[in-house]
């Protein structure tokens, strides 16, 4: 989030988007699309638009949370990322894990 304090002009808009990402779990849709693209081939390392988009989403969520943000910001980012990881049900692609671990 570009705005770090609740008093900043765009903070409410950015916070609402983050809140929706954690509640609606849009990343889970990307996970389902990735699984569909794999199509039972077991190809966990294949790069696709959905994989790249999910990695971009995770990277953005993790890089945008700052210590100056209210605790709710980190909580919503954590919920959004963890929902994606949990949706893979133990078969998380390496490129997604790399985003979380770096």
């Amino acid at each position: 989030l570009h705005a770090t304090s609740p008093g900043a002009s765009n903070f409410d808009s950015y916070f609402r988007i983050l809140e929706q990402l954690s509640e609606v779990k849009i990343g889970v849709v990307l996970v389902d699309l990735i699984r569909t693209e794999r199509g039972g081939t077991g190809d966990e390392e294949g790069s696709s638009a959905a994989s790249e988009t999910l990695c971009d989403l995770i990277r953005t969520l993790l890089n945008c949370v700052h210590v100056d943000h209210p605790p709710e910001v980190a909580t919503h980012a954590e919920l959004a990322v963890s929902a994606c990881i949990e949706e893979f049900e133990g078969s998380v692609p390496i490129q997604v894990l790399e985003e979380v671990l770096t």
Side-chain angles (χ1 to χ4, degrees):
L1 297 175
H2 295 99
T4 58
S5 69
S9 62
N10 291 330
F11 183 85
D12 288 335
S13 297
Y14 290 135
F15 184 79
R16 184 67 187 135
I17 291 169
L18 180 59
E19 187 175 47
Q20 289 175 346
L21 281 170
S22 72
E23 291 174 1
V24 177
K25 297 179 176 53
I26 191 69
V28 171
V29 173
L30 291 169
V31 172
D32 285 338
L33 184 57
I34 292 166
R35 282 195 291 215
T36 301
E37 288 175 345
R38 287 183 192 169
T41 63
D43 180 17
E44 296 183 13
E45 304 311 316
S47 181
S48 68
S51 294
E52 291 175 20
T53 302
L54 180 60
C55 287
D56 288 344
L57 174 65
I58 290 171
R59 183 181 321 111
T60 300
L61 289 170
L62 296 177
N63 287 336
C64 288
V65 176
H66 297 281
V67 71
D68 297 336
H69 286 136
E72 295 85 10
V73 171
T75 299
H76 288 309
E78 177 186 347
L79 287 172
V81 172
S82 65
C84 296
I85 301 301
E86 290 170 5
E87 190 66 21
F88 277 110
E89 298 174 350
S91 178
V92 183
I94 297 296
Q95 64 189 33
V96 173
L97 286 175
E98 286 175 347
E99 291 302 329
V100 173
L101 298 173
T102 58

